[in-house]
Amino acid sequence: QVQLVVSGGGLVQAGGSLRLSCLASGSTSGFKSMAWYRQVPGMLRELVADIDSDGRTSYEDSVKGRFTISGDNAKNTVLLQMNDLKPEDTAVYYCKGVFVEGIWNAIYWGQGTQVTVSS
């Protein structure tokens, strides 16, 4: 079992920055990948950025060059640094972790955190 705890988020003006943190605890030795998703009411949850166990990253097109996902293995934490925030980045942000458990890829979600960007 893995627990993911999200921190960060809040209210910021357009052009500002926020940093989200996702702390993993429990049976984390099977870490495979971690991702940040976001969701606005009435819309599907969308992938924002992800990072795998080799440190390879990928980003949704609208956040490229503004968001950076990074991992701190020593702290079992994945960060999402969000710069130059835009009103359209307003959403509830979630982290998702994939961990190998035996022959399975187990998926865990952290609680959401609200990010609100005012114009």
Side-chain angles (χ1 to χ4, degrees):
Q1 287 284 330
V2 173
Q3 297 78 42
L4 301 178
V5 177
V6 174
S7 61
L11 173 64
V12 66
Q13 288 188 327
S17 298
L18 285 173
R19 187 174 73 173
L20 306 182
S21 175
C22 181
L23 171 63
S25 62
S27 302
T28 62
S29 61
F31 171 74
K32 186 172 183 179
S33 66
M34 194 80 82
W36 288 96
Y37 284 72
R38 65 187 179 187
Q39 188 171 26
V40 298
M43 302 292 286
L44 294 175
R45 194 170 294 186
E46 68 169 355
L47 176 65
V48 176
D50 60 17
I51 185 168
D52 67 15
S53 57
D54 293 322
R56 292 173 296 200
T57 60
S58 65
Y59 297 90
E60 192 269 330
D61 285 347
S62 71
V63 308
K64 286 179 180 177
R66 300 188 297 122
F67 291 11
T68 302
I69 188 170
S70 62
D72 185 335
N73 291 336
K75 297 182 179 179
N76 283 347
T77 299
V78 172
L79 303 174
L80 183 68
Q81 179 66 42
M82 305 184 292
N83 298 328
D84 190 24
L85 282 160
K86 305 176 185 298
E88 52 264 41
D89 295 318
T90 296
V92 178
Y93 285 70
Y94 301 86
C95 69
K96 184 188 87 170
V98 180
F99 295 81
V100 177
E101 296 181 356
I103 62 173
W104 307 105
N105 286 335
I107 295 174
Y108 297 92
W109 289 91
Q111 85 283 12
T113 186
Q114 178 70 45
V115 171
T116 303
V117 185
S118 63
S119 57

